[in-house]
Amino acid sequence: MNHFLQFRFFLSMLENKILKAQKILVNGGVIALPTETVYGLAANAYDASAVKRIFTIKKRPLTSPLIVHTSHLDRAKLLVKSMPEKAIILAETFWPGPLTLLLEKKASLPDIVNAGLAEVGIRVPSHPVAQMLLEKLPFPLAAPSANPFGYISPTTAQHVEAQLGKKVDYILDGGRCTRGLESTIVGFSNKKPVIYRLGSITQEEIEKVIGPAPYLPPIQKDKSIQLTPGRSERHYSPHTPILVGDLPSLLRNLRNHRVVALCFDTSLDDLSVAHQVVLSPKKSLEEAAHKLFDALHHLDMLGADFIIAPYFPEEGLGRVMNERLLRASTQP
Ligand code: TXA
Ligand code: MG
């Protein structure tokens, strides 16, 4: 087959897959949706019973609100009462892309979507397959990450298959997620921007566009401060206990255990190659972020007593990965 025919074949396969996903969603089904961050577990946001199934499949408490995905800013505006000026600037800068904005929900969206809160998370994903599907649908998609509640988010269709395979109506395979970390969540408290979840767009990138946007970490020492629902301490956790710190010292301290390691740029001499993943020999934080969850899925399958992981440089995506690893390592 020449390249043109190969391309036509690939395109028609993709169109068929999108058509199938579309039909299932129109009929109230739940599918796994590829996005540039992680795979989502998606249903018609206006269909309360389809949305309820998302919670059941994930074993997610109904108090934990979902993000609503739509194809572009104009459609997003129809879902909310209003958008603060800085929200519009952020949307125009980063959409389509890995940014979720918390905005005041219109009554027409069912309350189950956002756990009955005043605000709903809205995001316009940039993944071409997600975009093609959302363009075709007459409704937005409510979608949390497609993992059992508390587990690592999936960055391939195979991760979804392994974790939730039989429970979802269809897995729309859009390949490996390019970003690999969830979207950054920005809300507005008295019109002032606040970052509620660090994610694929760094705080530095956000602040370059709108000025100060402090991060409100989910783990508050002061218990009198109300946490955003769903921002529980332990999250993104593999089944294997995970320890974060200086890798050679951790390895020495655990010498009587079966240990596997997540490494940033260099491998550990004292551990076999099969028992470690080096994320980015060229020390790229983007590459490490892209591979992080896939590496954790892989290491979790090796049946070790512990996964050991390093601290990344505390800047940009390094800070985001440190935060994910620390939350994964907190014991319940
Ligand atoms: O990249 C992403 O954001 C992926 C893809 C699929 O879009 N989605 C995702 O959704 O990570 P989820 O449900 O796994 O994480 C969303 C987080 C939760 O911690 C939830 O509590 C918070 O966003 N959230 C959503 N809506 C909220 C709201 N109205 N108020 C406060 N927090 C909210
Ligand atoms: Mg999640």
Side-chain angles (χ1 to χ4, degrees):
M1 241 194 283
N2 68 28
H3 286 316
F4 180 69
L5 282 179
Q6 260 179 352
F7 178 69
R8 286 288 299 271
F9 177 69
F10 172 77
L11 204 64
S12 75
M13 292 267 288
L14 184 61
E15 277 167 358
N16 285 342
K17 289 200 283 185
I18 289 174
L19 203 64
K20 182 166 177 187
Q22 191 185 348
K23 275 191 189 147
I24 292 170
L25 290 165
V26 167
N27 288 310
V30 175
I31 67 148
L33 170 81
T35 85
E36 71 281 18
T37 58
V38 300
Y39 274 72
L41 194 61
N44 176 358
Y46 284 105
D47 181 340
S49 62
V51 173
K52 177 108 193 281
R53 252 189 81 208
I54 295 178
F55 286 92
T56 310
I57 292 172
K58 265 189 77 105
K59 296 199 170 77
R60 178 176 172 126
L62 287 165
T63 48
S64 183
L66 308 183
I67 295 173
V68 173
H69 299 68
T70 188
S71 59
H72 46 82
L73 174 57
D74 289 345
R75 283 199 184 174
K77 283 181 181 163
L78 302 175
L79 304 169
V80 298
K81 287 187 182 157
S82 63
M83 278 178 84
E85 202 185 315
K86 287 190 172 171
I88 293 180
I89 296 172
L90 286 175
E92 284 173 344
T93 310
F94 295 111
W95 280 353
L99 171 75
T100 295
L101 294 172
L102 298 185
L103 300 165
E104 225 186 316
K105 177 178 91 66
K106 274 192 187 158
S108 47
L109 264 180
D111 283 343
I112 186 171
V113 170
N114 67 333
L117 298 169
E119 293 181 331
V120 62
I122 308 277
R123 160 161 135 75
V124 173
S126 64
H127 193 294
V129 174
Q131 270 287 329
M132 280 162 89
L133 178 64
L134 287 164
E135 274 291 340
K136 283 179 192 287
L137 290 170
F139 47 76
L141 293 173
S145 51
N147 50 284
F149 188 63
Y151 195 64
I152 316 159
S153 296
T155 52
T156 64
Q158 291 69 35
H159 295 156
V160 184
E161 177 71 46
Q163 293 165 37
L164 301 174
K166 291 187 184 65
K167 298 181 182 161
V168 295
D169 298 323
Y170 183 54
I171 298 173
L172 179 55
D173 190 345
R176 194 174 287 275
C177 302
T178 50
R179 297 285 197 145
L181 291 173
E182 297 86 348
S183 63
T184 304
I185 301 182
V186 178
F188 299 86
S189 170
N190 297 324
K191 303 223 157 114
K192 291 212 173 78
V194 175
I195 296 178
Y196 288 105
R197 178 174 73 183
L198 296 172
S200 280
I201 295 176
T202 62
Q203 181 172 19
E204 293 88 330
E205 289 174 289
I206 302 266
E207 293 190 328
K208 224 181 256 174
V209 177
I210 53 163
Y215 169 48
L216 185 68
I219 304 162
Q220 290 283 1
K221 295 274 181 301
D222 179 355
K223 297 286 183 209
S224 66
I225 297 174
Q226 190 71 38
L227 289 182
T228 308
R231 296 163 72 222
S232 55
E233 224 167 279
R234 190 174 159 85
H235 219 44
Y236 314 106
S237 305
H239 301 305
T240 316
I242 177 161
L243 298 172
V244 189
D246 175 60
L247 292 181
S249 334
L250 285 171
L251 195 57
R252 265 197 307 280
N253 295 340
L254 294 167
R255 79 173 72 78
N256 296 322
H257 297 271
R258 284 172 305 157
V259 175
V260 294
L262 181 78
C263 308
F264 179 26
D265 57 320
T266 38
S267 57
L268 287 165
D269 291 340
D270 298 337
L271 205 59
S272 83
V273 174
H275 291 158
Q276 49 188 323
V277 176
V278 179
L279 293 172
S280 178
K282 62 177 186 209
K283 274 186 191 262
S284 152
L285 290 174
E286 283 75 21
E287 184 182 18
H290 165 69
K291 293 184 181 162
L292 179 72
F293 288 161
D294 187 51
L296 286 175
H297 277 104
H298 169 72
L299 293 171
D300 202 19
M301 296 298 156
L302 298 179
D305 298 325
F306 294 97
I307 297 172
I308 58 173
Y311 284 108
F312 293 89
E314 188 64 16
E315 62 185 34
L317 291 173
R319 200 168 144 227
V320 186
M321 290 189 279
N322 288 340
E323 190 266 355
R324 294 294 190 275
L325 286 172
L326 282 173
R327 291 184 76 188
S329 69
T330 312
Q331 295 307 310

